[in-house]
Amino acid sequence: MPELPEVERAARLVRDVALHKRIVRVETTEDDIVYNGISHVEFAKELQDRVVTGVGRYGKVFYIELDGSGRMPVLHFGMTGMLQVRGEKAIYYRETPRKASTDWPPRFMKFILHVRNDESGATTELAFLDARRLGRIRLCSSPLTEPPISTLGFDPIISMPDLEVFTKSVRKRTCPIKALLLDQSFSAGVGNWVADEILYHARIHPEARCHTLTDDQIAPLYRQTLEVCRIAVEVNADDSKFPEDWLFKYRWGKGKGKKYTMRLADGSPATIKWITVGGRTSAYVAELQKLTQIVESEVLGSDGSESELTPITGSEDENKPVRKRKHRVEPTDSPTLSPVKRRSTRSNRVSVTLYEGTKDQGSN
């Protein structure tokens, strides 16, 4: 999912392409899921013949300011949303796939803005795409004071609180720190990889409980929340320009037999492990991020089996349910019940189901 740095990159693209230009045409496709509280026709009419006066971002949401008294577009990418300029490939979350196309109009297009420079007469086309339909397109009169932005917590780039306020906000929670960082009502814009990066540099285990963190832990947590976001934004979310000591360079590809070359300061290999926290798979370095209190979870085993940590609410659009193993418990002292073993074809787990009246198998 695009996080704060990737959404800031998108806002910059809109500024480069559309700022001070007039929207002379709006193409839309019907989608009553992505268009939130409005129709695609209503969206097009509201933007027609208005000039782009600014582009803003808060958390993972970005918005386009327009002249006149009408409402303005407020956009959220969800999992697979992206922008594409005609004649160029779309801006993907991580890396552009080889099969990426410049065909126009692009697949999964929700709208295309035709913006014209009134002085030169040149027109540029900018499309909003969303394959999985988890993004949202809204219209707001005052983007910063209306939902969804008004419901968000601090933005690490725009509105980071001071250390004292930050410390109090952390310590009044009892959930794992990773789950708190993912909660958009706490830190807007921080997603899965950004949270892992923050915790790695702060040397805090993702399952450490918020109320147990010391001043010596919260101070680097505060600093790294600022620094990770700042550095990623400065390089326009281009991960090839991220520092070589970032966990981002090594955290991808779990379960694919990938060999990791991350090294500790003394040159020895780093051990990257994965657990599920707040409903999300979390990467951490075992030698540097140690858990000091007991928590109810399991580190992913060498066979790649999933942790059974109970999911804790994070952001509304990021949490994924964690499957739990169900065990049927039946009384074993009943003389009328006999166990029959069955093997699941999905997981190769052996389960025992007790059937009534199966003592004499030949009578069935």
Side-chain angles (χ1 to χ4, degrees), residues 235-246:
V235 298
N236 205 28
D238 183 350
D239 58 76
S240 68
K241 297 179 182 178
F242 288 173
E244 288 302 317
D245 65 343
W246 273 27

Side-chain angles (χ1 to χ4, degrees), residues 132-356:
R132 293 180 61 182
R133 303 174 70 198
L134 296 172
R136 293 295 178 264
I137 298 170
R138 300 175 172 91
L139 288 173
C140 296
S141 298
S142 177
L144 290 175
T145 60
E146 297 177 35
I149 293 178
S150 64
T151 66
L152 300 176
F154 67 83
D155 182 294
I157 299 295
I158 299 171
S159 58
M160 188 73 178
D162 62 31
L163 178 58
E164 182 180 358
V165 172
F166 180 83
T167 300
K168 290 179 180 179
S169 297
V170 171
R171 286 223 177 103
K172 71 181 182 181
R173 270 83 167 187
T174 60
C175 64
I177 185 59
K178 172 67 181 287
L180 180 62
L181 291 177
L182 292 177
D183 187 341
Q184 298 302 288
S185 68
F186 175 75
S187 53
V190 175
N192 203 36
W193 80 256
V194 171
D196 282 352
E197 200 66 48
I198 290 169
L199 293 173
Y200 163 65
H201 291 288
R203 303 300 192 250
I204 298 174
H205 192 284
E207 288 181 308
R209 297 281 166 170
C210 297
H211 65 291
T212 69
L213 296 179
T214 66
D215 289 345
D216 289 341
Q217 290 175 303
I218 292 181
L221 177 67
Y222 177 84
R223 184 171 62 253
Q224 294 303 329
T225 300
L226 283 165
E227 282 298 287
V228 168
C229 293
R230 180 189 64 80
I231 292 170
V233 165
E234 283 183 353
V235 298
N236 205 28
D238 183 350
D239 58 76
S240 68
K241 297 179 182 178
F242 288 173
E244 288 302 317
D245 65 343
W246 273 27
L247 180 62
F248 184 97
K249 298 280 189 178
Y250 309 94
R251 72 183 301 278
W252 308 96
K254 174 183 72 71
K256 298 180 180 179
K258 184 175 180 179
K259 293 183 178 180
Y260 298 94
T261 57
M262 189 176 190
R263 297 280 175 179
L264 301 174
D266 62 3
S268 60
T271 306
I272 301 176
K273 293 188 176 182
W274 290 266
I275 51 177
T276 301
V277 185
R280 303 300 303 277
T281 298
S282 306
Y284 72 99
V285 176
E287 293 86 355
L288 302 177
Q289 297 167 261
K290 297 181 180 180
L291 193 60
T292 57
Q293 74 269 15
I294 298 174
V295 294
E296 298 175 357
S297 67
E298 291 181 298
V299 175
L300 289 179
S302 58
D303 60 351
S305 59
E306 288 290 342
S307 164
E308 292 187 314
L309 177 72
T310 301
I312 296 176
T313 301
S315 65
E316 62 178 0
D317 58 355
E318 289 186 343
N319 286 342
K320 298 179 181 178
V322 178
R323 288 184 178 178
K324 287 187 175 182
R325 295 178 181 177
K326 294 183 179 179
H327 303 281
R328 175 180 292 182
V329 179
E330 298 282 358
T332 57
D333 56 348
S334 172
T336 62
L337 300 178
S338 62
V340 178
K341 287 188 177 181
R342 285 188 171 182
R343 185 173 297 276
S344 167
T345 57
R346 293 184 62 188
S347 62
N348 289 329
R349 294 176 185 164
V350 175
S351 60
V352 176
T353 306
L354 298 175
Y355 292 93
E356 216 175 314

